[in-house]
Amino acid sequence: MEMILAGYPNKNIAADLGISQRTVEAHRAAIMDKTGAASLPALARLALAATWTGDDTPFAEPGTGRP
């Protein structure tokens, strides 16, 4: 999901991860389906909201879930 949100094309994601482009497309579709996001900007908003801590520090450190 990080690579999708970073704007990498499926072809580059596949090469970096050593999987087929079709597999990347399937994963991308599954992410969009499971999150209910209708577009990439909607997915980005969901990801941003998921990192919101609600206190003085607005964002959690990536991968930790904590500020």
Side-chain angles (χ1 to χ4, degrees):
M1 185 164 127
E2 290 177 9
M3 295 176 93
I4 292 170
L5 292 173
Y8 289 98
N10 291 345
K11 185 176 183 178
N12 292 15
I13 295 171
D16 288 349
L17 298 179
I19 58 178
S20 75
Q21 187 172 341
R22 181 67 185 124
T23 301
V24 174
E25 292 168 1
H27 285 300
R28 183 187 291 253
I31 289 169
M32 299 300 279
D33 187 46
K34 287 181 180 183
T35 61
S39 65
L40 195 56
L43 182 64
R45 284 191 296 274
L46 283 171
L48 182 61
T51 63
W52 185 258
T53 62
D55 60 7
D56 291 341
T57 31
F59 305 107
E61 292 180 22
T64 65
R66 294 174 301 190

